[in-house]
Amino acid sequence: MTDLATLINSRTYNIVLESSTLTCSFHRHIRKLEREFIKNTKSHTAGSIRVSPPEVNESSSDEILAWRLRMKRNQERRNRVEYTDQEIDNLIEGIETLGSKWNQILLTYKFHPSRTSVDLRDKYKSLINGD
């Protein structure tokens, strides 16, 4: 007899969640919305492969987050963008107020849309080391 825990992995979890009689209606509804979102997203991105970032001054945080998700989904390599003086000032101010909560700094202060929390961490380390 095989243990159920050994059969459930990241690939089979959603199948078990959807087919289980113990799953509540709320979770079933969330899974339905997720399937619709995936279906709509695939049909919209089928023809477009190249995605350019929105302009920093004109874009809202929602547009920036949406662009980051598209970039992650398409697995495109980002072009290198030098840090501006304002971004470095924002990074230092973020460290002083929020500590090393990189994602919080990224969302609180204004950075280029292609920046990630890992980019901020690496830049701060290079500033500290004098690179």
Side-chain angles (χ1 to χ4, degrees), residues 89-111:
D89 292 342
N90 289 344
L91 177 59
I92 292 170
E93 184 180 335
I95 290 294
E96 291 171 355
T97 57
L98 299 170
S100 61
K101 297 179 181 172
W102 306 113
N103 202 36
Q104 191 67 34
I105 294 170
L106 180 66
L107 296 175
T108 304
Y109 295 91
K110 194 168 194 98
F111 292 98

Side-chain angles (χ1 to χ4, degrees), residues 1 10 21 46 90 96 103 114 120-121:
M1 183 94 185
S10 60
T21 56
N90 289 344
E96 291 171 355
N103 202 36
S114 67
L120 298 183
R121 182 196 66 198

Side-chain angles (χ1 to χ4, degrees), residues 1-9 12 16:
M1 183 94 185
T2 306
D3 185 27
L4 181 62
T6 59
L7 296 176
I8 298 176
N9 58 34
T12 60
V16 171

Side-chain angles (χ1 to χ4, degrees), residues 47-58:
S48 61
I49 294 175
R50 189 78 178 150
V51 180
S52 59
E55 291 296 320
V56 175
N57 297 334
E58 300 173 3

